[in-house]
Structures are given as C-alpha cells and as structure tokens.
Amino acid sequence: MRHALSLFAVLYGLWLALSGHYTPFLLAIGAVCAAFAVAVAVRMDVVDREGHPIHLGYRVPLYWGWLAVQILVSSVRVSRIVLSPRPAIDPVLETVPASQRSDLGRVIFANSITLTPGTLSTSVEAHGVEVHALTRRGMEELKSGDMDRRVSAVEGEP
Amino acid sequence: MILDILSWISIGVGIFFVMAGGLGLIRLPDLFTRLHAASVADTAGAGFMLLGFMLQAGLSLVTLKLVLILVFLVFTTPTAAHALAHAALLGGVRPWTRKPKDPAP
C-alpha cells in the first residue's frame, strides 16, 4: 500500500511537471490517469521493493553525488587516453566480486560500473559481475572494492 | 551575467566530452573499447551540456524537464550498453587485447 501511494505521488508529480497547465479539468484527468497506471501496475504485481525501491531513501542521492564525481574523474581519464597520440589501452575482461544481497543491489552495482567510463559490465552473476575495463588500472580500482562496499551500504538491510 | 558565463563554460565542457567520445568511437580498436568512449559522451558530455541548459533556463518547469531528461538518460544508457556488450559476447565477439610482445603502457 505504501508503495502504491508513493508510486501515485511520483506519477502525479510527473504529470504536473510535464503538463504545465493547471486547470481543474487537466488536474482531475491527471489524477485519474495516475490512479489507473498504479492500478495496472498493482495488478501486474510490479509495485514492490524491487520495482519501486523507496526503502533506499536518502542514501540514494548521497550515492549519486559520489558516483557523479567518479564519472567525472574517469571521463577525464578516458578522454586523455583517446586524445593521446598513441592510446595507452590494455583491455581486460574479468569477474569482479559483488557483495550485494538482492537483485536490486546487483543491478545498481552493475549499472554504476557501466555508467563509469572505462569500465563496462558484460554479465551479472550471483556473486560477481563480469567487467570489461579499458585499462588494467581501471580494473584494479574496481577490484579494490570501494564501489562494491558503497552499493552494499546503499542497499541496507535486506 | 555570471550565470551566463557559468552556463557557457558548462556547455563548452560538455562539447569537449562529446567530441572526445566521438573521436574515441573512431580511434579505438573494437566494439568494447568503443563502448567505453561512447559512455564518456553520454555521461559527462550530456551531463555538462544539460547542466549548462539548466543554468540558462533558471528555476522553471523547463529546468525540471531537463533534470528528468538527465535522470532517464542515467537509467537507460548503462542498460543499453550492458545489453549490447552482453549480446556481443554471447554472439562470439572476442575482445581486442594488447599482444603479449607489446610493452605494457
């Protein structure tokens, strides 16, 4: 129920943000549409901790801030490699251990890896993520486990 | 005025990253390394350009929509890149590797 209400709030907020017209008719239509979408989602049984993870709460924005810095740092690094006269690349394909306990946590981890330039998740398994890295250094940094620990912290208690 | 300057700097940085990503797409040797270059363009490149647009738009619905574009981009691009790389590996594309006799960089 909590998830359904939260999903309704998100959908109606999206309607208000994207429409920009605030007449009673359009406000009512928006509420009806959002309620209908929530009803369909509930019937499909996708409104749960995984499909609508509100339990992650405030930890997500904090993690996004950290991730944005990582993305910036690795973007500069990959740009330098690309712009150098002889690209110093040494691609490797290896499995990085993942300590998350839920599918949601593993998806956050794998997507974070892919979002960071220079590392790319190619396959997600039960206890690890197969990663293609542009440089050996990028792979070593990922294997140091900093990102893995942070994602597990965001995931919180199962 | 200051907002204008910041906005142009941000858009300029975004353009730099998009150009670097595009150049990498041409210069790097295989599908996987090129995906790395492409991800520069659609994270840092698109991010800085959208930030510049937000500074131009100020506090308005337009900025809210730009934020939504960024959010959707951040959720969809890694999923697409992952699907592409996974499909390529399953399809038998071997990743390019440095030859053993080459000196390590």
Side-chain angles (χ1 to χ4, degrees):
Chain A
M1 194 60 205
R2 220 155 52 88
H3 287 96
L5 285 176
S6 159
L7 180 62
F8 177 81
V10 170
L11 289 177
Y12 198 40
L14 199 60
W15 173 286
L16 295 178
L18 293 181
S19 117
H21 295 282
Y22 303 113
T23 62
F25 173 70
L26 282 169
L27 291 178
I29 287 284
V32 171
C33 287
F36 180 70
V38 171
V40 171
V42 167
R43 264 185 71 92
M44 284 168 72
D45 208 16
V46 292
V47 189
D48 50 16
R49 287 169 68 89
E50 193 170 80
H52 192 64
I54 45 177
H55 62 281
L56 300 179
Y58 70 94
R59 296 190 296 263
V60 170
L62 292 179
Y63 176 70
W64 281 354
W66 177 82
L67 187 62
V69 174
Q70 300 303 307
I71 288 172
L72 187 58
V73 170
S74 8
S75 290
V76 170
R77 210 182 278 164
V78 173
S79 301
R80 277 182 63 178
I81 289 173
V82 165
L83 296 175
S84 69
R86 296 184 54 206
I89 56 170
D90 188 11
V92 277
L93 185 67
E94 283 172 26
T95 300
V96 174
S99 64
Q100 292 76 34
R101 280 151 307 192
S102 65
D103 286 348
L104 178 67
R106 275 188 287 277
V107 167
I108 296 175
F109 185 44
N111 264 8
S112 303
I113 290 171
T114 311
L115 212 46
T116 316
T119 51
L120 173 70
S121 67
T122 54
S123 182
V124 181
E125 289 132 26
H127 300 291
V129 178
E130 194 184 32
V131 174
H132 184 274
L134 188 58
T135 60
R136 214 162 275 276
R137 183 179 164 199
M139 180 63 84
E140 295 308 324
E141 269 173 30
L142 198 57
K143 281 195 163 172
S144 75
D146 191 22
M147 182 183 272
D148 178 50
R149 275 192 300 276
R150 282 171 192 271
V151 175
S152 291
V154 168
E155 188 187 26
E157 296 301 311
Chain B
M1 186 61 195
I2 295 170
L3 273 185
D4 256 354
I5 295 171
L6 284 177
S7 147
W8 280 110
I9 291 173
S10 184
I11 294 174
V13 172
I15 290 172
F16 166 79
F17 279 124
V18 171
M19 300 265 285
L23 197 63
L25 217 52
I26 300 169
R27 291 195 67 194
L28 294 174
D30 75 337
L31 182 137
F32 301 98
T33 50
R34 286 176 172 167
L35 271 175
H36 292 305
S39 78
V40 173
D42 55 35
T43 55
F48 273 107
M49 288 183 83
L50 286 168
L51 186 66
F53 301 157
M54 285 174 211
L55 292 172
Q56 283 288 333
L59 278 177
S60 65
L61 270 187
V62 176
T63 297
L64 196 54
K65 286 173 190 175
L66 288 168
V67 171
L68 284 174
I69 292 176
L70 191 57
V71 169
F72 287 129
L73 215 54
V74 162
F75 277 99
T76 51
T77 53
T79 313
H82 172 86
L84 189 57
H86 191 68
L89 275 182
L90 284 184
V93 178
R94 302 314 313 155
W96 181 92
T97 50
R98 185 166 286 279
K99 291 186 200 75
K101 64 177 171 24
D102 287 358

